[in-house]
Amino acid sequence: MCSRPDHSFSSGAETRVRSTVCSIPRSVPHRDLAVAYNDRGQIKYLRVDFYEAVDDYTLAINIQPDFEVPYYNRGVVWYRLGFFDKAIEDFQRVLELCADFEEAKISLKQSILDKEEKLRRDSQRLLLD
């Protein structure tokens, strides 16, 4: 089941970090704890504490592995840090869990394009050296 965000924060044209009032059923064990870690990660992201945000998103994922929002948020951080393979992996996981997550589709495409561009630039740089 896809979680539905109550709002998103924009920290730039290229990224959005999601917060949730979750549609994960309350009967799911540790649901509230996973949401709390995701939201705390969001606060750290907005403070530009990217690695600490990743830690909180990862805790949320470990607690609730079928909760797609922290995968998306962690993917955004990986993308911003230039770790495109990790971002791609997280965005793909989001889409496995929630195929209609439009921001994840867009972010996945952009991550692939930027990874290819980085590889092209690195190849050119090696040829010039």
Side-chain angles (χ1 to χ4, degrees), residues 79 82 84-85 88 108-126:
Y79 174 85
F84 299 118
D85 288 330
I88 290 166
L108 175 59
K109 288 178 187 175
Q110 191 62 53
S111 295
I112 292 168
L113 289 172
D114 288 353
K115 176 186 174 183
E116 291 170 354
E117 176 62 21
K118 182 180 185 296
L119 290 172
R120 186 186 63 73
R121 281 192 319 253
D122 290 349
S123 297
Q124 286 178 341
R125 191 173 302 123
L126 287 174

Side-chain angles (χ1 to χ4, degrees), residues 77-88:
V77 174
W78 290 137
Y79 174 85
R80 298 256 340 248
L81 292 171
F83 295 112
F84 299 118
D85 288 330
K86 290 181 176 187
I88 290 166

Side-chain angles (χ1 to χ4, degrees), residues 59-70:
L59 285 168
I61 290 165
N62 290 339
I63 292 165
Q64 191 68 46
D66 60 346
F67 182 18
E68 74 280 359
V69 174

